[in-house]
Amino acid sequence: MQRLGELSTSDFHRRLAAGDLPVRVGPYVYNIHSDLPAVAQGLRALYGDFLLATPQQFVDYDVALVRGSPLQRLRGRAEFLFDRASPFETIPAGQAYAFLEWGMNWCVSLHANEYLKLHAAVVAREGAGVILPGTPGAGKSTLCAALGLQGWRILSDEHALVVPHTTDLVPLCRPVSLKNASIDVVRAFSRDAVFGPVSLETHKGVVCHMKADLTTDSHDPAPLPARALVFPRYSAGDGQYLRPRPRSESFIIAAYHSFNYSLMGEAGFHAMRHLVSSVPCYDLVYRDLDWAVQAMEKVLA
Amino acid sequence: MRRAPDFELLTALLDPGALPGMDMAGAARVVSQARVSRLLASLAMAMQDSGDLERVDPAVRRHLDSAVLVYEKQKQDLAYDCESIRAALESVGEKLVLLKGGAYLQAELPVARGRLITDIDIIVPRERIEAAEQALNAHGWESSKLDPYNESYYRRWSHETPALVHCKRGTTLDLHHNILPPTAGPNVDASLLFERLRTARPGVFTLSLQDMVIHSATHLFHEGEFYHGLRDLWDLDRMLRQFPAEQADFWDGLVERARQLELQESLFHGLVYAQLVFGTPVPGRVMERATTLAQRLRRPLMDFLFLRAFRPDHPDCRLPLTAAALNMLYIRSHYLRMPLYLLLPHLLRKAWMRRGDGDPEETQA
C-alpha cells in the first residue's frame, strides 16, 4: 500500500489540486482537496507516513480548503468545504492549515456515531491505552505531544472512540494541535518534534500542528483496550499530583466532554458506565512535562 | 413523465435497493449528496422499510446508522419540547398546532420516517399571538432580541414572530399566525386552517392532510433559498403517495381547497415538480383541474428555474446556469412575499444595515 510521502512531488500536487487524495485516518477515509500552498506544505510535513486509500475504498469525508470566488481571492479569504458545500464562514487564507485540521475533526465530531466519542487525547504504551479527556486549554494536547515524543503511541489528539460494551479504543491518529505557549513548550521539550505551518491570529490564537505518527504501529487500525482515564490539568501555580478520582464524578465529567453521549441515549449511558467502571480514573495536575510523563508511566505500572 | 434519474442520490431514493449494488465511489456520492440535502436519514429509513439496509456494505452502513441516530434523537427531543409548548399554550387556552416537520413527526405519518428538523413551527390564530408569545416566554421560550428595524418589520409585515429559543435546551421555535406573510399576493384566510385540524395525539394537532400538502407546496414555492429544496419536494412526494391511503377522499377537493386558500398556484407547482423529479403519481383529473393557461405558458421558465433548485447543492449534481437560476428564485421569493413599494425600501435598508456591521447572519428577515 502506498503512503502519501511516496508520491512524487508533482503527483502529490496534482492530486491535491484535483481533489483526488484519499487518505486513511484510523477507521475512516478523508478525501482532501486544496489549492493553497500552506495546506500542501502541511500535508507533506505531517501526513507523509499516512496510507493512501485505494479507489475501491469508501470515502467517508470529502473535505477541501480552497480559495473560493475571485472576490474571496482578492480579499485573501479561503473556505472549508465538506461534501463540497461550505458549512462555515470564510477564513483568512493564512489560517488555512489550522482550519483544515479543525474541519477534519468536525467531520468526526458531527457524523461518526458508531462509537462513544469522548473529547480526549488517547495515548498507549505497550498496547495499553490511556484516555486523557480535557477542556480546551487544560493541557491534554501538550501532554499528548510530550508522551508521543517519549515513545508513547498517539492514538488521537481529539477523539477517544470507544467501542460500546467494551473498553476498546479505536485509533484515529492525526497531527496534534498545539496552541500559543504550548508550541514553544513542546519545542523545548524535544528537538525531534516535526511541525506543520503556523496559523496566526485564529480564534484560538497561534496554532501549529505536530506530526503524531511517531511509532511503527501508528497506523495499525486494530483497537486497543483502555487501561485508565486520566484527567490532566496544567497549572503553573498548584502543586503537581497524580490522584485517583471518584468514578461517579469521572462519569459525569467524561459524559460532559462527550460529543455523542446524549445522542446515543441509553446505549451511550451503558457504554460510558462500562468504561468508567472498568478502568481506574485519575487526576493529573502538572507544571513540568517531564514529571507528567513519569506520572503517566506510573499509571500503567 | 419523470426524467431518468441523473444523480446518484435520486437513483437511491427512488429505488431503496439500488445503494447496496453500487460501487464504493457511487455509494460515497450518494452519502455525500444525501448529507448535503439533509436526506441521509430519510434514505436510511426507506431502506430499512424495504429490508435493503442489511445489504449495505458496513463502511456505508455506519453513515446511514449515524443519521438514523440523529433522527431518533430529534424525534425524542421534539416530544419533550412539544410537552412544554403544549403546557404553555394550554395556560392561555390555546391548542398546540404543529406545522411542517414537527407535525409529520408528532402525527407519526410515514413522511416523517427519517425526516430531520432544524426548528419547531407552530401556528395560533392571529388575535392570540401576543398571548401565546407571553405564555411561551413564561415557560422558558425566550423571544430573540432584534434591532428595532427588524423587530418592527417582523411585527408588522411577517406571518411569524421573531424566533423563540428555549433558555435551557436551545431549541428554536417559530410562532406563526399564518402560512404566508400578509404582504404576499395570495391572501390566505388562516382561520380556514383551524376549521379542519387533525389530532396527532391528545392535545397536539396538525393541519388536515390536504392542508399539510398545500402548505408544504406553498412553503417550497415561496422559499428563497433552496438548500432543502430537494428534501422539501421529497416530503411532498411522500405525502402525495401516502395520504390517499390514510384518507380515501384525499384527492377529491384538494384543488378546490387550494383555491379556497388562494394557494392553487403553489399546489400546481408542487404536483408538477414532484411528478417530474420523483415520478409521483397524480390522478389526471387532479392535474387537469390544477392547471391554468397562464401556468402552462410559464412552464418553460419555471422548469428552467426549479429543476435546478431541486438538486443537491453538490458539484456532481449541478446543471449549467444553476447559480443564475438560484439568484432569480431568490429575487422571485422576495417579489412574491411583498409588493415592490414595500420590497425596495426594505432591501435598500437591509443592504445599508449589512454594510454597517458586515454580519448578514443576523439579518434574515
Side-chain angles (χ1 to χ4, degrees):
Chain A
M1 259 203 259
Q2 199 175 22
R3 292 182 193 276
L4 188 143
E6 290 161 13
L7 291 175
S8 71
T9 310
S10 63
D11 265 3
F12 167 75
H13 284 282
R14 185 180 50 75
R15 292 183 63 171
L16 179 63
D20 176 27
L21 197 65
V23 179
R24 292 176 53 175
V25 180
Y28 305 115
V29 174
Y30 285 86
N31 188 45
I32 308 174
H33 172 209
S34 183
D35 57 1
L36 288 143
V39 170
Q41 183 209 330
L43 292 175
R44 275 304 244 197
L46 305 176
Y47 283 81
D49 292 325
F50 279 65
L51 290 168
L52 295 179
T54 61
Q56 287 76 40
Q57 273 179 296
F58 182 81
V59 171
D60 293 278
Y61 306 116
D62 185 358
V63 297
L65 210 305
V66 288
R67 295 193 184 99
S69 60
L71 186 66
Q72 273 186 26
R73 253 165 225 266
L74 273 176
R75 293 173 59 210
R77 310 287 291 184
E79 61 182 347
F80 173 76
L81 303 180
F82 174 60
D83 288 332
R84 311 284 177 94
S86 170
F88 310 118
E89 296 286 290
T90 62
I91 46 134
Q95 301 174 8
Y97 191 73
F99 238 85
L100 176 69
E101 291 283 353
W102 279 323
M104 289 170 77
N105 287 342
W106 175 84
C107 293
V108 171
S109 304
L110 214 70
H111 294 285
N113 289 304
E114 63 272 35
Y115 309 113
L116 176 67
K117 287 176 295 189
L118 308 188
H119 185 210
V122 183
V123 290
R125 178 129 222 186
E126 286 158 22
V130 180
I131 305 173
L132 305 166
T135 42
K140 75 173 162 59
S141 291
T142 317
L143 180 57
C144 172
L147 289 164
L149 292 163
Q150 287 291 313
W152 288 58
R153 177 177 168 193
I154 297 174
L155 275 76
S156 178
D157 168 45
E158 183 72 10
H159 295 100
L161 304 180
V162 183
V163 180
H165 315 299
T166 72
T167 57
D168 284 353
L169 301 168
V170 175
L172 185 71
C173 178
R174 286 202 4 251
V176 177
S177 155
L178 297 169
K179 286 144 222 140
N180 304 315
S182 66
I183 300 169
D184 285 332
V185 170
V186 172
R187 239 186 255 277
F189 182 79
S190 166
R191 274 181 296 177
D192 298 334
V194 174
F195 291 97
V198 178
S199 300
L200 303 168
E201 292 175 28
T202 74
H203 61 288
K204 293 191 175 179
V206 182
V207 175
C208 187
H209 288 78
M210 186 194 95
K211 192 173 192 303
D213 48 345
L214 305 171
T215 58
T216 51
D217 55 356
S218 280
H219 294 291
D220 181 352
L224 296 182
R227 288 279 179 264
L229 259 167
V230 176
F231 295 79
R233 184 165 60 86
Y234 170 80
S235 170
D238 300 347
Q240 310 191 102
Y241 60 84
L242 173 72
R243 255 179 229 158
R245 69 183 298 160
R247 289 178 198 273
S248 52
E249 193 192 300
S250 304
F251 183 111
I252 291 167
I253 294 177
Y256 183 76
H257 290 304
S258 167
F259 291 97
N260 61 349
Y261 169 77
S262 93
L263 179 66
M264 288 177 79
E266 214 177 314
F269 173 80
H270 288 296
M272 189 69 84
R273 191 181 64 169
H274 185 84
L275 176 68
V276 172
S277 57
S278 306
V279 301
C281 306
Y282 301 92
D283 267 322
L284 173 64
V285 175
Y286 73 94
R287 184 172 58 241
D288 175 52
L289 265 182
D290 288 304
W291 180 88
V293 170
Q294 279 170 24
M296 284 290 288
E297 311 215 323
K298 270 186 224 150
V299 166
L300 286 184
Chain B
M1 184 138 183
R2 182 173 55 77
R3 304 169 169 201
D6 61 349
F7 52 90
E8 291 82 356
L9 173 59
L10 189 54
T11 307
L13 285 171
L14 291 171
D15 172 11
L19 181 59
M22 290 186 187
D23 63 16
M24 286 295 126
R29 280 198 290 271
V30 170
V31 169
S32 195
Q33 291 167 12
R35 243 180 341 219
V36 99
S37 309
R38 296 184 64 78
L39 277 166
L40 190 56
S42 303
L43 174 63
M45 295 306 285
M47 291 177 65
Q48 192 180 93
D49 294 344
S50 67
D52 290 300
L53 197 56
E54 302 298 321
R55 296 172 45 228
V56 183
D57 188 285
V60 185
R61 170 77 190 261
R62 59 184 174 188
H63 291 282
L64 296 164
D65 289 344
S66 169
V68 169
L69 208 58
V70 173
Y71 155 68
E72 298 280 358
K73 177 70 161 62
Q74 287 196 344
K75 200 163 66 165
Q76 196 183 356
D77 287 351
L78 175 71
Y80 193 90
D81 283 323
C82 279
E83 197 35 46
S84 151
I85 300 166
R86 192 198 58 74
L89 293 176
E90 194 181 58
S91 72
V92 287
E94 277 308 315
K95 30 180 183 288
L96 168 55
V97 182
L98 290 160
L99 299 171
K100 298 193 278 188
Y104 313 152
L105 284 161
Q106 281 279 289
E108 296 184 18
L109 293 166
V111 56
R113 312 237 333 127
R115 176 61 150 80
L116 301 179
I117 54 172
T118 40
D119 45 26
I120 302 174
D121 294 280
I122 64 170
I123 186 167
V124 298
R126 178 158 206 172
E127 64 277 12
R128 300 291 292 150
I129 198 139
E130 276 169 24
E133 190 175 1
Q134 281 163 13
L136 286 163
N137 289 157
H139 280 74
W141 296 88
E142 293 169 350
S143 303
S144 325
K145 296 275 171 286
L146 296 179
D147 62 78
Y149 176 73
N150 277 317
E151 177 81 24
S152 74
Y153 171 87
Y154 262 104
R155 301 290 172 191
R156 189 157 167 214
W157 299 122
S158 181
H159 56 306
E160 57 188 330
T161 65
L164 297 150
V165 177
H166 194 269
C167 59
K168 291 216 177 90
R169 297 169 52 75
T171 318
T172 306
L173 173 65
D174 285 334
L175 175 60
H176 303 251
H177 60 75
N178 205 327
I179 56 179
L180 278 181
T183 51
N187 191 9
V188 181
D189 179 356
S191 67
L192 294 172
L193 303 172
F194 289 95
E195 288 172 4
R196 296 194 187 175
L197 296 182
R198 186 174 186 273
T199 309
R201 55 184 183 79
V204 181
F205 299 84
T206 70
L207 303 183
S208 72
L209 296 183
Q210 287 183 339
D211 289 353
M212 264 190 233
V213 163
I214 295 166
H215 179 217
S216 170
T218 301
H219 186 67
L220 198 48
F221 290 94
H222 283 80
E223 191 51 52
E225 284 162 350
F226 283 83
Y227 308 118
H228 304 156
L230 187 68
R231 194 275 309 270
D232 292 349
L233 194 66
W234 175 251
D235 282 347
L236 206 51
D237 169 77
R238 297 290 97 180
M239 288 192 275
L240 292 171
R241 283 177 200 267
Q242 293 151 1
F243 286 178
E246 300 261 337
Q247 181 189 332
D249 60 350
F250 169 77
W251 289 113
D252 302 329
L254 177 65
V255 177
E256 287 65 29
R257 177 64 169 175
R259 209 158 274 158
Q260 189 185 20
L261 291 165
E262 298 194 19
L263 297 170
Q264 69 276 25
E265 198 175 22
S266 292
L267 176 66
F268 164 78
H269 285 126
L271 298 178
V272 166
Y273 293 105
Q275 237 181 8
L276 214 52
V277 175
F278 292 114
T280 318
V282 179
R285 60 188 162 86
V286 174
M287 210 60 231
E288 220 163 87
R289 256 181 293 163
T291 316
T292 65
L293 178 64
Q295 284 159 347
R296 230 183 278 266
L297 291 173
R298 251 179 304 163
R299 266 298 291 281
L301 174 63
M302 296 310 248
D303 281 2
F304 171 81
L305 298 176
F306 282 112
L307 289 178
R308 280 165 177 74
F310 295 134
R311 299 173 76 87
D313 181 20
H314 195 283
D316 292 350
C317 309
R318 243 166 250 152
L319 295 173
L321 298 174
T322 291
L326 292 178
N327 280 330
M328 284 175 76
L329 284 169
Y330 181 75
I331 294 167
R332 172 183 175 271
S333 77
H334 276 81
Y335 163 76
L336 291 179
R337 212 175 293 169
M338 49 171 73
L340 281 177
Y341 74 89
L342 287 174
L343 177 60
L344 285 178
H346 175 64
L347 288 182
L348 283 172
R349 177 93 192 224
K350 283 291 198 191
W352 182 254
M353 286 169 64
R354 214 168 286 193
R355 193 199 59 98
D357 57 24
D359 188 3
E361 286 289 287
E362 287 180 17
T363 50
Q364 290 168 351

